């Protein structure tokens, strides 16, 4: 066993003495030792209950003959960090989480790991560490939050963000906004729509490193605790067979995950996280693969923020496994790849029951013939840009608009909420990329303000930053190269015409090349916004959003 490195033989008597100082018995030390990576804290609603999930996991490990040893990671709540300097640290925290799990599981050589994340950067950070370490690992999340209710209307966190815009526009009273605030988030769990956290939890299941049900079983359900106990038992099978992430997960596994991404209409942040996870597995995922998968994978589920359904509805309809079974009817899922269940995807899907076709549409009646995400290219985004096309109003799929240029998210958000943005405008927010931000802030405040003020069918927003999974509308992010790296978005001037053509995957600045060259000759890099601490180091090391914003 790997843990023998810290517990076996007479020379490890001092090590065993330290374990015994914590109350571990000789019998416990003779068993496989399983690291329980728990991101519980008291600042993230999706994590507030993970202490109980961890207890269930540990019960499962003990039932199957192992010894669980728990340790923690950091975590950022993107909603609470939104629209102030804290958001700069959100994406950057992904690397710290991966590094900390690597450190803990190398300094203390566990036989296997159970990962317990639940929110945006914590999930991919832990998965990156799993492939980097390559020891038997399984992930079990805390599950999604239930939708809130205002009267008979289901609501969620995005309803509150959009409510701020509606309040500013005079269509929502202060009392109604407070009622939204009170009701939108009814309890623990990752926020209720197909936002980034739930997207990544669903994709962990589709990838094969989490058990069926991981993405959709509600946080408050007893089934979630049974799943956690099962994960604790299942890690012992993986340890016994020495089945490691790189043994189970292949390029075909990632293609399955991307197919599910397209069918569900997941967050654009998956285009950052999935390539970063694959990078740790030694697999290169080009952005063009997302367009290729989108072209052949229909959009089957209309989930918040782009549609009416919540994660609890998807769960009742059969969850991720039912989506995969529907996709498999069209040959869109690789059935021969292995998963942490011990079976292939095909064997797992044999056990899947019939679904509710009001929530998961059949292949011959999708919401859209193409998948939820598109990668756009053009002279404004030579290395690509990302849009959740399933959440764009039909009127905005092809549009030429005038540029309204802002050097930060805060400037843009203030202009939108102050009524300075008009129909036909394209809001350009730059110097918010991985380097320029630094940290590639999420832009939920300005996008929600656009929707809340009734401009969703008239105004587009483009940025070298990124968007919340809760963003809807013609919001195009990850423009690469970013402005701080000399990308063309840094050359846009007020009033320039910008052509958005999502069906044809184009994003063009209607300025002739000679004019662009003249602007480029005058362009000067900006001074770094942050010069000290972790973010300054991050800015020096981080790569383009087109490469998943991994560190080099």
């Amino acid at each position: 066993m790997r843990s023998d490195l810290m517990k076996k033989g007479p020379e490890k008597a001092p090590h065993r003495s330290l374990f015994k100082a914590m109350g571990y018995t000789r019998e416990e030390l003779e068993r496989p030792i399983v690291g329980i990576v728990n991101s519980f804290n008291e600042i993230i609603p999706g994590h507030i209950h993970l202490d109980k999930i961890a207890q269930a996991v540990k019960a499962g490990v003990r039932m199957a003959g192992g010894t669980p040893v728990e340790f923690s990671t950091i975590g950022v709540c993107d909603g609470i960090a939104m629209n102030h300097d804290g958001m700069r640290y959100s994406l950057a925290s992904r690397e710290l989480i991966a590094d900390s799990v690597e450190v803990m599981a190398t300094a203390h050589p566990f036989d296997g790991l159970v990962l317990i994340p639940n929110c945006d950067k914590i999930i991919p950070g832990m998965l990156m560490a799993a492939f980097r370490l390559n020891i038997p690992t399984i992930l079990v999340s805390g599950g999604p939050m239930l939708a809130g209710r205002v009267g008979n209307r289901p609501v969620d966190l995005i309803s509150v963000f959009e409510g701020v815009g509606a309040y500013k526009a005079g269509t929502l009273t202060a009392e109604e906004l407070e009622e939204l605030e009170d009701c939108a988030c009814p309890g623990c769990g990752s926020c209720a729509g197909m936002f980034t956290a739930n997207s990544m939890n669903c994709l962990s299941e589709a990838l094969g490193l989490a058990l069926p049900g991981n993405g959709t079983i509600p946080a408050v359900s007893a089934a979630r605790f049974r799943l956690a106990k099962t994960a604790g038992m299942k890690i012992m099978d993986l340890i016994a067979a020495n089945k490691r992430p790189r043994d189970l997960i292949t390029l075909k596994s990632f293609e399955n995950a991307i197919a599910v991404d397209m069918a569900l209409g997941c967050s654009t942040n998956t285009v950052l996280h999935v390539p970063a996870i694959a990078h740790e597995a030694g697999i290169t995922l080009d952005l063009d693969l997302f367009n290729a998968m989108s072209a052949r994978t229909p959009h089957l589920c209309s989930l918040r923020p782009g549609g009416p359904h919540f994660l609890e509805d998807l769960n009742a309809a059969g969850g991720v496994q039912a989506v995969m079974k529907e996709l498999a009817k069209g040959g869109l899922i690789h059935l021969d790849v292995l998963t942490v269940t011990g079976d292939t995807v095909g064997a797992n899907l044999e056990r899947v029951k019939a679904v509710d076709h009001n929530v998961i549409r059949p292949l011959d009646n999708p919401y859209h013939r193409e998948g939820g995400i598109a990668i756009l290219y053009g002279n404004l985004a030579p290395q690509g840009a990302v849009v959740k096309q399933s959440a764009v109003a039909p009127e905005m799929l092809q549009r030429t608009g005038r540029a309204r240029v802002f050097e930060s998210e805060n400037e843009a958000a203030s202009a939108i909420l102050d009524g300075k943005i008009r129909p036909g405008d394209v809001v350009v927010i730059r110097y918010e990329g991985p380097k320029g931000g630094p940290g590639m802030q999420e832009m939920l405040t300005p996008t929600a303000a656009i929707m809340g003020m009734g401009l969703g069918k008239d105004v587009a927003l483009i940025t070298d930053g990124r968007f919340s999974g809760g963003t809807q509308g013609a919001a195009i992010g990850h423009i690469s190269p970013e402005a701080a790296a000399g990308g063309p978005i840094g050359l846009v001037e007020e009033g320039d015409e910008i052509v958005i053509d999502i069906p044809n995957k184009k994003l063009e600045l209607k300025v002739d090349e000679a004019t662009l060259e003249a602007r480029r000759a005058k362009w000067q890099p900006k001074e770094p916004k942050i010069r000290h601490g972790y973010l300054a180091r991050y800015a020096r090391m981080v790569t383009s959003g087109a490469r998943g914003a991994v560190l080099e």
Side-chain angles (χ1 to χ4, degrees), residues 57-105:
V57 169
K58 289 191 279 189
V61 170
R62 292 189 182 103
M63 283 190 288
T67 297
V69 176
E70 183 179 346
F71 64 92
S72 62
T73 73
I74 62 166
V76 171
C77 178
D78 280 24
I80 294 173
M82 194 72 64
N83 198 28
H84 60 84
D85 277 348
M87 179 48 70
R88 301 186 193 282
Y89 289 83
S90 175
L91 180 60
S93 74
R94 186 187 72 182
E95 316 308 312
L96 288 176
I97 291 159
D99 289 350
S100 67
V101 177
E102 175 196 358
V103 167
M104 288 296 288

Short mmCIF file of all heavy atoms in Angstrom, two decimals, residues 57-105:
data_model
loop_
_atom_site.label_atom_id
_atom_site.label_comp_id
_atom_site.label_asym_id
_atom_site.label_seq_id
_atom_site.Cartn_x
_atom_site.Cartn_y
_atom_site.Cartn_z
N VAL A 57 -19.27 9.98 4.00
CA VAL A 57 -18.17 9.37 3.26
C VAL A 57 -17.31 8.51 4.19
O VAL A 57 -16.97 7.36 3.88
CB VAL A 57 -17.31 10.44 2.56
CG1 VAL A 57 -16.02 9.82 2.02
CG2 VAL A 57 -18.08 11.11 1.43
N LYS A 58 -16.97 9.05 5.35
CA LYS A 58 -16.11 8.33 6.28
C LYS A 58 -16.79 7.06 6.79
O LYS A 58 -16.13 6.02 6.98
CB LYS A 58 -15.70 9.25 7.44
CG LYS A 58 -14.70 10.33 7.00
CD LYS A 58 -14.08 11.08 8.16
CE LYS A 58 -14.99 12.15 8.67
NZ LYS A 58 -14.30 13.02 9.67
N ALA A 59 -18.12 7.13 6.97
CA ALA A 59 -18.85 5.92 7.37
C ALA A 59 -18.73 4.85 6.29
O ALA A 59 -18.52 3.66 6.59
CB ALA A 59 -20.32 6.26 7.61
N GLY A 60 -18.83 5.26 5.02
CA GLY A 60 -18.68 4.31 3.92
C GLY A 60 -17.30 3.70 3.86
O GLY A 60 -17.14 2.49 3.62
N VAL A 61 -16.27 4.53 4.06
CA VAL A 61 -14.89 4.02 4.06
C VAL A 61 -14.72 2.99 5.17
O VAL A 61 -14.15 1.90 4.95
CB VAL A 61 -13.89 5.19 4.22
CG1 VAL A 61 -12.47 4.65 4.46
CG2 VAL A 61 -13.90 6.09 3.00
N ARG A 62 -15.21 3.29 6.36
CA ARG A 62 -15.05 2.36 7.48
C ARG A 62 -15.82 1.07 7.24
O ARG A 62 -15.34 -0.03 7.56
CB ARG A 62 -15.51 3.03 8.77
CG ARG A 62 -14.60 4.17 9.24
CD ARG A 62 -14.97 4.65 10.63
NE ARG A 62 -14.13 5.78 11.03
CZ ARG A 62 -14.54 7.04 11.04
NH1 ARG A 62 -15.76 7.36 10.67
NH2 ARG A 62 -13.71 8.01 11.42
N MET A 63 -17.04 1.18 6.66
CA MET A 63 -17.82 -0.02 6.37
C MET A 63 -17.08 -0.95 5.42
O MET A 63 -17.22 -2.18 5.51
CB MET A 63 -19.18 0.36 5.77
CG MET A 63 -20.18 0.86 6.79
SD MET A 63 -21.86 1.01 6.09
CE MET A 63 -21.66 2.43 5.03
N ALA A 64 -16.29 -0.38 4.52
CA ALA A 64 -15.58 -1.18 3.53
C ALA A 64 -14.15 -1.53 3.96
O ALA A 64 -13.39 -2.07 3.17
CB ALA A 64 -15.55 -0.43 2.20
N GLY A 65 -13.80 -1.21 5.23
CA GLY A 65 -12.52 -1.67 5.75
C GLY A 65 -11.37 -0.71 5.64
O GLY A 65 -10.21 -1.13 5.76
N GLY A 66 -11.65 0.58 5.45
CA GLY A 66 -10.57 1.55 5.36
C GLY A 66 -10.56 2.50 6.54
O GLY A 66 -11.45 2.48 7.39
N THR A 67 -9.53 3.33 6.61
CA THR A 67 -9.41 4.34 7.65
C THR A 67 -9.42 5.71 6.99
O THR A 67 -8.49 6.07 6.27
CB THR A 67 -8.10 4.16 8.44
OG1 THR A 67 -8.13 2.89 9.10
CG2 THR A 67 -7.92 5.26 9.48
N PRO A 68 -10.48 6.50 7.22
CA PRO A 68 -10.56 7.84 6.61
C PRO A 68 -9.78 8.86 7.43
O PRO A 68 -9.80 8.84 8.66
CB PRO A 68 -12.05 8.14 6.64
CG PRO A 68 -12.57 7.38 7.83
CD PRO A 68 -11.72 6.14 7.95
N VAL A 69 -9.10 9.76 6.73
CA VAL A 69 -8.36 10.85 7.36
C VAL A 69 -8.72 12.13 6.62
O VAL A 69 -8.43 12.27 5.42
CB VAL A 69 -6.84 10.61 7.30
CG1 VAL A 69 -6.09 11.79 7.89
CG2 VAL A 69 -6.47 9.32 8.03
N GLU A 70 -9.35 13.05 7.30
CA GLU A 70 -9.91 14.24 6.65
C GLU A 70 -8.95 15.41 6.70
O GLU A 70 -8.29 15.65 7.70
CB GLU A 70 -11.22 14.60 7.36
CG GLU A 70 -11.97 15.78 6.75
CD GLU A 70 -13.27 16.07 7.48
OE1 GLU A 70 -13.73 15.22 8.28
OE2 GLU A 70 -13.85 17.16 7.26
N PHE A 71 -8.90 16.17 5.58
CA PHE A 71 -8.22 17.47 5.57
C PHE A 71 -9.00 18.42 4.68
O PHE A 71 -9.91 18.01 3.96
CB PHE A 71 -6.75 17.35 5.15
CG PHE A 71 -6.52 16.88 3.73
CD1 PHE A 71 -6.38 17.78 2.69
CD2 PHE A 71 -6.40 15.51 3.44
CE1 PHE A 71 -6.13 17.35 1.39
CE2 PHE A 71 -6.15 15.07 2.15
CZ PHE A 71 -6.02 16.00 1.12
N SER A 72 -8.66 19.69 4.71
CA SER A 72 -9.50 20.71 4.08
C SER A 72 -8.76 21.45 2.97
O SER A 72 -7.55 21.34 2.82
CB SER A 72 -9.97 21.71 5.13
OG SER A 72 -8.86 22.38 5.70
N THR A 73 -9.55 22.20 2.19
CA THR A 73 -8.99 23.15 1.22
C THR A 73 -9.69 24.49 1.40
O THR A 73 -10.72 24.59 2.06
CB THR A 73 -9.21 22.69 -0.24
OG1 THR A 73 -10.59 22.86 -0.58
CG2 THR A 73 -8.80 21.25 -0.46
N ILE A 74 -9.16 25.51 0.75
CA ILE A 74 -9.83 26.80 0.72
C ILE A 74 -10.98 26.75 -0.29
O ILE A 74 -11.13 25.79 -1.05
CB ILE A 74 -8.86 27.94 0.33
CG1 ILE A 74 -8.29 27.72 -1.09
CG2 ILE A 74 -7.74 28.06 1.35
CD1 ILE A 74 -7.60 28.94 -1.66
N GLY A 75 -11.78 27.80 -0.32
CA GLY A 75 -12.86 27.93 -1.29
C GLY A 75 -13.35 29.36 -1.33
O GLY A 75 -13.37 30.04 -0.30
N VAL A 76 -13.74 29.82 -2.51
CA VAL A 76 -14.28 31.16 -2.70
C VAL A 76 -15.73 31.03 -3.14
O VAL A 76 -16.06 30.24 -4.03
CB VAL A 76 -13.48 31.94 -3.77
CG1 VAL A 76 -14.17 33.25 -4.13
CG2 VAL A 76 -12.06 32.21 -3.29
N CYS A 77 -16.64 31.81 -2.52
CA CYS A 77 -18.02 31.90 -2.99
C CYS A 77 -18.07 32.98 -4.06
O CYS A 77 -17.93 34.17 -3.76
CB CYS A 77 -18.97 32.24 -1.85
SG CYS A 77 -20.69 32.42 -2.42
N ASP A 78 -18.27 32.58 -5.30
CA ASP A 78 -18.25 33.56 -6.39
C ASP A 78 -19.34 34.62 -6.24
O ASP A 78 -19.15 35.78 -6.60
CB ASP A 78 -18.40 32.85 -7.74
CG ASP A 78 -17.09 32.25 -8.20
OD1 ASP A 78 -16.23 31.99 -7.36
OD2 ASP A 78 -16.93 32.04 -9.42
N GLY A 79 -20.50 34.23 -5.71
CA GLY A 79 -21.57 35.20 -5.54
C GLY A 79 -21.19 36.28 -4.54
O GLY A 79 -21.42 37.48 -4.77
N ILE A 80 -20.61 35.89 -3.42
CA ILE A 80 -20.21 36.86 -2.40
C ILE A 80 -18.98 37.65 -2.84
O ILE A 80 -18.82 38.83 -2.48
CB ILE A 80 -19.97 36.14 -1.06
CG1 ILE A 80 -21.29 35.55 -0.54
CG2 ILE A 80 -19.36 37.08 -0.02
CD1 ILE A 80 -21.16 34.68 0.69
N ALA A 81 -18.12 37.03 -3.66
CA ALA A 81 -16.92 37.72 -4.14
C ALA A 81 -17.21 38.62 -5.34
O ALA A 81 -16.34 39.39 -5.75
CB ALA A 81 -15.86 36.69 -4.53
N MET A 82 -18.42 38.56 -5.88
CA MET A 82 -18.76 39.25 -7.12
C MET A 82 -18.70 40.77 -6.99
O MET A 82 -19.10 41.34 -5.97
CB MET A 82 -20.18 38.84 -7.53
CG MET A 82 -20.57 39.19 -8.97
SD MET A 82 -19.71 38.15 -10.17
CE MET A 82 -20.38 36.55 -9.77
N ASN A 83 -18.16 41.39 -8.04
CA ASN A 83 -18.22 42.85 -8.21
C ASN A 83 -17.43 43.62 -7.15
O ASN A 83 -17.79 44.72 -6.77
CB ASN A 83 -19.68 43.34 -8.24
CG ASN A 83 -19.79 44.74 -8.85
OD1 ASN A 83 -18.98 45.14 -9.68
ND2 ASN A 83 -20.80 45.49 -8.42
N HIS A 84 -16.36 43.03 -6.64
CA HIS A 84 -15.36 43.76 -5.87
C HIS A 84 -14.03 43.02 -6.05
O HIS A 84 -13.97 42.01 -6.78
CB HIS A 84 -15.76 43.90 -4.40
CG HIS A 84 -15.96 42.62 -3.66
ND1 HIS A 84 -14.94 41.90 -3.10
CD2 HIS A 84 -17.10 41.90 -3.42
CE1 HIS A 84 -15.41 40.82 -2.51
NE2 HIS A 84 -16.73 40.78 -2.70
N ASP A 85 -12.98 43.46 -5.44
CA ASP A 85 -11.65 42.90 -5.70
C ASP A 85 -11.54 41.42 -5.35
O ASP A 85 -10.66 40.72 -5.86
CB ASP A 85 -10.58 43.68 -4.94
CG ASP A 85 -10.15 44.94 -5.68
OD1 ASP A 85 -10.50 45.08 -6.86
OD2 ASP A 85 -9.47 45.79 -5.06
N GLY A 86 -12.44 40.92 -4.50
CA GLY A 86 -12.40 39.50 -4.17
C GLY A 86 -12.57 38.60 -5.37
O GLY A 86 -12.02 37.48 -5.39
N MET A 87 -13.30 39.06 -6.40
CA MET A 87 -13.51 38.20 -7.57
C MET A 87 -12.21 37.95 -8.33
O MET A 87 -12.10 36.95 -9.05
CB MET A 87 -14.57 38.84 -8.47
CG MET A 87 -14.87 38.07 -9.75
SD MET A 87 -15.15 36.29 -9.54
CE MET A 87 -16.71 36.29 -8.70
N ARG A 88 -11.23 38.81 -8.19
CA ARG A 88 -9.95 38.56 -8.86
C ARG A 88 -9.31 37.27 -8.36
O ARG A 88 -8.51 36.66 -9.06
CB ARG A 88 -8.98 39.71 -8.62
CG ARG A 88 -9.46 41.07 -9.10
CD ARG A 88 -8.37 42.12 -8.94
NE ARG A 88 -8.89 43.47 -9.11
CZ ARG A 88 -9.16 44.03 -10.29
NH1 ARG A 88 -8.95 43.34 -11.39
NH2 ARG A 88 -9.63 45.26 -10.35
N TYR A 89 -9.67 36.85 -7.16
CA TYR A 89 -9.03 35.69 -6.55
C TYR A 89 -9.77 34.38 -6.84
O TYR A 89 -9.26 33.31 -6.51
CB TYR A 89 -8.92 35.89 -5.03
CG TYR A 89 -7.91 36.93 -4.65
CD1 TYR A 89 -8.23 38.28 -4.67
CD2 TYR A 89 -6.60 36.57 -4.32
CE1 TYR A 89 -7.30 39.25 -4.35
CE2 TYR A 89 -5.66 37.53 -3.99
CZ TYR A 89 -6.01 38.87 -4.01
OH TYR A 89 -5.07 39.82 -3.70
N SER A 90 -10.92 34.47 -7.46
CA SER A 90 -11.75 33.27 -7.62
C SER A 90 -11.10 32.25 -8.56
O SER A 90 -10.79 31.13 -8.15
CB SER A 90 -13.14 33.65 -8.14
OG SER A 90 -13.90 32.49 -8.40
N LEU A 91 -10.88 32.60 -9.81
CA LEU A 91 -10.25 31.65 -10.74
C LEU A 91 -8.85 31.28 -10.25
O LEU A 91 -8.44 30.12 -10.33
CB LEU A 91 -10.18 32.24 -12.14
CG LEU A 91 -9.53 31.35 -13.21
CD1 LEU A 91 -10.28 30.03 -13.38
CD2 LEU A 91 -9.43 32.08 -14.54
N ALA A 92 -8.14 32.27 -9.72
CA ALA A 92 -6.78 32.01 -9.24
C ALA A 92 -6.77 31.00 -8.09
O ALA A 92 -5.77 30.30 -7.88
CB ALA A 92 -6.13 33.32 -8.80
N SER A 93 -7.88 30.90 -7.36
CA SER A 93 -7.92 29.94 -6.25
C SER A 93 -7.90 28.50 -6.74
O SER A 93 -7.50 27.60 -5.99
CB SER A 93 -9.17 30.18 -5.39
OG SER A 93 -10.36 29.73 -6.05
N ARG A 94 -8.31 28.28 -7.98
CA ARG A 94 -8.30 26.92 -8.55
C ARG A 94 -6.92 26.30 -8.47
O ARG A 94 -6.76 25.12 -8.11
CB ARG A 94 -8.77 26.98 -10.02
CG ARG A 94 -8.94 25.63 -10.68
CD ARG A 94 -9.24 25.80 -12.17
NE ARG A 94 -8.06 26.25 -12.91
CZ ARG A 94 -8.05 26.51 -14.22
NH1 ARG A 94 -9.15 26.40 -14.94
NH2 ARG A 94 -6.93 26.91 -14.82
N GLU A 95 -5.89 27.08 -8.77
CA GLU A 95 -4.52 26.56 -8.77
C GLU A 95 -4.05 26.28 -7.35
O GLU A 95 -3.34 25.29 -7.10
CB GLU A 95 -3.58 27.56 -9.46
CG GLU A 95 -4.10 28.15 -10.75
CD GLU A 95 -4.58 27.13 -11.75
OE1 GLU A 95 -3.86 26.14 -12.00
OE2 GLU A 95 -5.68 27.32 -12.29
N LEU A 96 -4.44 27.13 -6.41
CA LEU A 96 -4.07 26.91 -5.01
C LEU A 96 -4.71 25.64 -4.47
O LEU A 96 -4.10 24.90 -3.69
CB LEU A 96 -4.48 28.10 -4.15
CG LEU A 96 -3.66 29.39 -4.32
CD1 LEU A 96 -4.26 30.50 -3.47
CD2 LEU A 96 -2.20 29.16 -3.96
N ILE A 97 -5.96 25.40 -4.86
CA ILE A 97 -6.66 24.19 -4.41
C ILE A 97 -5.96 22.95 -4.96
O ILE A 97 -5.69 22.00 -4.23
CB ILE A 97 -8.14 24.25 -4.83
CG1 ILE A 97 -8.86 25.34 -4.03
CG2 ILE A 97 -8.83 22.90 -4.64
CD1 ILE A 97 -10.14 25.82 -4.67
N ALA A 98 -5.65 22.97 -6.26
CA ALA A 98 -4.95 21.83 -6.85
C ALA A 98 -3.61 21.61 -6.16
O ALA A 98 -3.24 20.47 -5.82
CB ALA A 98 -4.75 22.06 -8.35
N ASP A 99 -2.89 22.69 -5.95
CA ASP A 99 -1.58 22.58 -5.31
C ASP A 99 -1.69 22.05 -3.88
O ASP A 99 -0.87 21.22 -3.44
CB ASP A 99 -0.88 23.94 -5.29
CG ASP A 99 -0.42 24.40 -6.67
OD1 ASP A 99 -0.46 23.58 -7.61
OD2 ASP A 99 -0.04 25.58 -6.80
N SER A 100 -2.69 22.52 -3.13
CA SER A 100 -2.79 22.11 -1.73
C SER A 100 -3.15 20.64 -1.60
O SER A 100 -2.64 19.94 -0.71
CB SER A 100 -3.81 22.98 -1.00
OG SER A 100 -5.12 22.76 -1.47
N VAL A 101 -4.01 20.14 -2.49
CA VAL A 101 -4.33 18.70 -2.46
C VAL A 101 -3.09 17.89 -2.82
O VAL A 101 -2.80 16.86 -2.20
CB VAL A 101 -5.50 18.38 -3.40
CG1 VAL A 101 -5.78 16.88 -3.43
CG2 VAL A 101 -6.77 19.12 -2.97
N GLU A 102 -2.35 18.36 -3.84
CA GLU A 102 -1.10 17.67 -4.21
C GLU A 102 -0.14 17.63 -3.03
O GLU A 102 0.46 16.58 -2.73
CB GLU A 102 -0.44 18.40 -5.38
CG GLU A 102 0.91 17.84 -5.77
CD GLU A 102 1.73 18.76 -6.66
OE1 GLU A 102 1.24 19.85 -7.02
OE2 GLU A 102 2.87 18.39 -6.96
N VAL A 103 0.02 18.76 -2.34
CA VAL A 103 0.93 18.83 -1.21
C VAL A 103 0.51 17.86 -0.11
O VAL A 103 1.31 17.06 0.40
CB VAL A 103 1.00 20.27 -0.66
CG1 VAL A 103 1.68 20.30 0.70
CG2 VAL A 103 1.74 21.17 -1.63
N MET A 104 -0.77 17.90 0.25
CA MET A 104 -1.24 17.07 1.37
C MET A 104 -1.13 15.59 1.05
O MET A 104 -0.75 14.78 1.91
CB MET A 104 -2.68 17.43 1.71
CG MET A 104 -2.83 18.79 2.38
SD MET A 104 -2.04 18.85 4.01
CE MET A 104 -3.16 17.83 4.97
N ALA A 105 -1.46 15.20 -0.19
CA ALA A 105 -1.49 13.78 -0.54
C ALA A 105 -0.11 13.25 -0.94
O ALA A 105 0.05 12.05 -1.14
CB ALA A 105 -2.49 13.54 -1.67
#
